[in-house]
Amino acid sequence: MLLSCNSSVKKQDTVQVQNTDDRQYLVKVGDQAPDFEMSFPDGKKVKLSDLHGKVVMLQFTASWCGVCRKEMPHIEKDIWQKHKENPQFVLYGIDREEPAEKIQVLRDATGVTYPIGMDPDANIFGLYAEKDAGITRNIIIDRSGKIVMLTRLYEEKEFNEMVSLIDKMLSSES
């Protein structure tokens, strides 16, 4: 059974995924990643288009998502700790529909140190997936701004493929 975190099923509820082939993405591999500007709890902002030339990982998350909480320590250990000093890599968590205080609760609960920005109205999420679709989701974007991988939920094999892809992208000269 796959578990899903949907905004309509908040607060640790889980639902069985009926169709595992339909991940409810609005984008696909090969598409240019939709641009957005995101704020962080400390007031700083980032615009995706300003990251052109870097490998970017976006991780959609929320404090009420149990699958997110399971995946986040793996992202921290297997991706962030390995590449956080690499100026060619950027990783941002994007917290869906929660206030800044909840982001700190989530960071404390999962032990992550990577930056997590705010998506209070799920408008950023809505650029990439249907607004009622569940999270956790990861989007890997190459140096030219194209989407090269989309994940959904936490599945060890797919996660390891994502880690390998990021490692490969960062080891190649572009």
Side-chain angles (χ1 to χ4, degrees):
M1 177 169 90
L2 292 173
L3 300 177
S4 176
C5 291
N6 286 18
S7 63
S8 60
V9 198
K10 288 185 181 182
K11 309 301 183 229
Q12 303 288 346
D13 289 343
T14 57
V15 295
Q16 188 164 359
V17 175
Q18 299 300 321
N19 180 357
T20 57
D21 292 339
D22 180 10
R23 294 179 165 205
Q24 295 179 285
Y25 270 107
L26 298 174
V27 294
K28 64 186 180 307
V29 169
D31 287 355
Q32 194 71 25
D35 197 17
F36 61 86
E37 184 174 87
M38 177 174 63
S39 297
F40 293 89
D42 64 4
K44 291 182 183 172
K45 293 182 182 209
V46 67
K47 191 169 183 179
L48 182 64
S49 56
D50 291 342
L51 303 175
H52 193 83
K54 299 178 187 289
V55 173
V56 178
M57 177 178 175
L58 305 176
Q59 183 240 349
F60 287 100
T61 190
S63 67
W64 44 262
C65 173
V67 179
C68 301
R69 287 173 177 252
K70 177 180 178 183
E71 181 185 53
M72 292 172 78
H74 295 282
I75 293 171
E76 175 75 17
K77 178 175 76 68
D78 299 328
I79 299 170
W80 181 242
Q81 289 303 317
K82 191 187 312 182
H83 299 297
K84 69 181 181 179
E85 301 298 327
N86 187 333
Q88 297 302 308
F89 179 69
V90 178
L91 164 58
Y92 292 125
I94 303 174
D95 188 278
R96 181 177 162 172
E97 299 175 286
E98 295 188 303
E101 312 80 63
K102 288 285 192 178
I103 294 174
Q104 192 56 50
V105 169
L106 179 60
R107 292 182 75 181
D108 292 345
T110 58
V112 301
T113 61
Y114 56 85
I116 300 177
M118 300 179 294
D119 187 12
D121 299 317
N123 290 332
I124 299 169
F125 183 85
L127 295 171
Y128 290 86
E130 296 173 18
K131 274 214 178 174
D132 65 344
I135 52 180
T136 190
R137 293 173 184 272
N138 298 301
I139 294 126
I140 309 303
I141 303 166
D142 72 10
R143 289 179 169 98
S144 71
K146 286 201 169 39
I147 296 169
V148 294
M149 186 170 191
L150 300 165
T151 73
R152 172 75 179 99
L153 299 171
Y154 175 74
E155 192 277 313
E156 191 173 347
K157 182 177 184 278
E158 182 179 62
F159 183 85
N160 291 335
E161 290 170 3
M162 180 177 68
V163 170
S164 294
L165 175 64
I166 293 168
D167 291 347
K168 182 180 177 187
M169 292 170 68
L170 291 172
S171 68
S172 65
E173 295 296 322
S174 292

